């Protein structure tokens, strides 16, 4: 039987340590092809390139046996280009994105380029997983994730994912205790409260840096923030049908239309 | 009683016709302030500016009585800057985004900068509406939307929106028949199938334009694509908790973790 074909992308850019680690692990499970941004794309959300051109360039960043392409676009662009141009003859069996240097749990899933690559694949019906490490240090220790990262990917290759879903997987940062296991969770009710650090440039003009403070309003124990804080790997099944079905009834009852 | 404060943004940029129309209409309902991108941001999804600076500049594009700011960032950045810097002392009662020149129905909501501004506001608990006209012509006729656009905004000002929800409103393009009314809908099961138009630049290097073909798989009559095709204004309540709750049970049952 042919080995599964695994497409790897990310949002930190093709030279980041996280994608190198992800490629090394995926080589244990199948044939790997990489299509990833040529520059960092953190915070790009589900952006796509609509008013500009795209370029791709083949490279050998992951050794002679791995086909690899850097792309000028966003993570979602990379998946579209991979599926509809580079891989025209054979669709991937699995799309993985990451390992992101930083958390994509709770509300951060909306801003996440990592997850947009996974969701883009899921829209087209390919099983897909976004992996993130809750440590923003680009040199962070990562070896503690290997066992759990492979476990989730193998389960998905064996059993698939429900239709209309991509998985958002977050790993606790490395610490002295071993990870306790994997928890399937809901997205925590948390958000970023922004502050703006105002400065003056050398020409005397004002500019700002956005500074986010994470605020967790969720007291439950069935959500991703709880899982990560308690040293579990969190797995949130994310859907791309955003309809709030409960609200349809409310609006139809209350509105005079 | 003080007039409601209405924050207006968009993704086509502060000089587009759609935002001018939206400001004119909102002036009938309250005090208007504009914070919008200084350049087109279509397809930006829920992107935010994390690794770069932001600039804002006050202008008088909408007359002397409307405070207005152009911002170097994305639509989501504009809402964050408005709420946490420009409007520090008084929060808006309503955030509206648009009128987008082009549809943001069904799956396009994910790629939509227009809707990211509305969803960003909803995350922070402010009632929010994204408005889009299903006509990509920047000079498209728009006056047929006035009555329905105001109606939706007034209902929201009067009755609010369920927590965790922003409204995605799409108007049919102008045509000979009058719009039939407003339908509260679910997001249609449709997607874009991409093709890549490959060209060669004057230096002999390949580049691509992404070309999307919209494919509607949905046979139902309770979704936004059906509503628009049948000359209704579609209103989809969109949530930002992406959890696919049904899938949590499936994964817990099937996975060996």
């Amino acid at each position: 039987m042919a080995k599964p074909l695994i497409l790897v992308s990310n949002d930190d850019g093709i030279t980041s340590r996280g994608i190198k680690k992800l490629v090394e692990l995926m080589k244990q499970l199948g044939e790997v092809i990489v299509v990833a941004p040529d520059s960092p794309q953190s915070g790009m959300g589900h952006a796509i390139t609509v008013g500009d051109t795209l370029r791709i360039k083949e490279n050998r960043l992951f050794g002679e046996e791995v086909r690899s392409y850097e792309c000028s676009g966003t993570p979602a662009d990379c998946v579209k280009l991979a599926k509809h141009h580079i891989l025209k003859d054979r669709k991937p069996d699995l799309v993985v994105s990451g390992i992101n240097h930083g958390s994509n749990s709770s509300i951060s899933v909306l801003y996440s380029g990592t997850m947009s690559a996974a969701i883009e694949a899921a829209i087209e019906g390919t099983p897909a997983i976004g992996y993130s490490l809750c440590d923003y240090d680009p040199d962070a220790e990562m070896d503690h994730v290997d066992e759990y990262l492979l476990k989730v990917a193998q389960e998905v290759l064996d059993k698939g994912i429900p239709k209309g879903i991509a998985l958002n997987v977050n790993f606790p940062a490395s610490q002295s205790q071993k990870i306790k296991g994997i928890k399937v969770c809901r997205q925590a009710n948390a958000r970023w409260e922004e502050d703006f650090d105002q400065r003056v440039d050398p020409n005397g003009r004002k500019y700002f840096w956005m500074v986010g403070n994470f605020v967790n309003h969720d007291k439950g124990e069935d959500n991703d923030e709880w899982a990560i804080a308690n040293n579990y790997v969190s797995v949130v099944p994310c859907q791309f049908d955003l309809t709030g079905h409960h609200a349809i009834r409310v609006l139809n009852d209350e509105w005079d239309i």
Side-chain angles (χ1 to χ4, degrees), chain A residues 43-46 100 102-116 119 132 134 136 168 170 185-194 210 212-218 223-226 228 234 236 238-239 242:
Chain A
M44 284 304 279
H46 209 103
N100 192 60
S103 164
N104 279 316
S105 56
S106 69
I107 197 71
S108 300
V109 67
L110 290 192
Y111 308 104
S112 166
T114 304
M115 277 306 294
S116 78
I119 288 174
S132 304
C134 297
Y136 291 89
N168 183 16
N170 281 265
C185 308
R186 63 174 172 80
Q187 177 181 323
N189 174 22
R191 62 190 182 91
W192 291 91
E193 281 184 359
E194 256 68 44
M210 193 188 294
N213 301 302
F214 186 71
V215 185
N216 187 359
H217 299 283
D218 206 315
N223 65 72
D224 52 359
E225 290 302 328
W226 185 92
I228 297 159
S234 67
V236 176
C238 294
Q239 58 193 3
L242 304 190

Side-chain angles (χ1 to χ4, degrees), chain A residues 33-49:
Chain A
I33 177 166
V34 179
V35 183
D38 61 12
S39 63
Q41 297 278 324
S42 291
M44 284 304 279
H46 209 103
I48 51 171
T49 301

Side-chain angles (χ1 to χ4, degrees), chain A residues 119 121-128 159-167 237-241:
Chain A
I119 288 174
I123 291 171
E124 303 203 1
T126 307
K159 295 165 188 165
I161 297 180
K163 199 161 167 286
I165 295 285
L167 300 185
C238 294
Q239 58 193 3
F240 46 84
D241 177 350

Side-chain angles (χ1 to χ4, degrees), chain A residues 171-222:
Chain A
F171 302 105
S174 178
Q175 49 200 289
S176 52
Q177 345 159 242
K178 197 173 175 314
I179 286 175
K180 287 186 198 147
I182 297 171
K183 286 255 189 227
V184 183
C185 308
R186 63 174 172 80
Q187 177 181 323
N189 174 22
R191 62 190 182 91
W192 291 91
E193 281 184 359
E194 256 68 44
D195 208 351
F196 289 90
D197 180 350
Q198 182 173 318
R199 303 189 180 188
V200 178
D201 74 15
N203 302 313
R205 293 171 60 219
K206 280 192 300 190
Y207 66 98
F208 301 87
W209 291 100
M210 193 188 294
V211 184
N213 301 302
F214 186 71
V215 185
N216 187 359
H217 299 283
D218 206 315
K219 304 283 183 239
E221 301 194 348
D222 56 346

Side-chain angles (χ1 to χ4, degrees), chain A residues 23-54:
Chain A
V23 169
E24 285 309 313
L25 291 171
M26 288 302 111
K27 281 161 72 176
Q28 300 180 28
L29 303 182
E31 180 187 340
V32 173
I33 177 166
V34 179
V35 183
D38 61 12
S39 63
Q41 297 278 324
S42 291
M44 284 304 279
H46 209 103
I48 51 171
T49 301
V50 289
D52 207 345
T53 59
L54 288 169

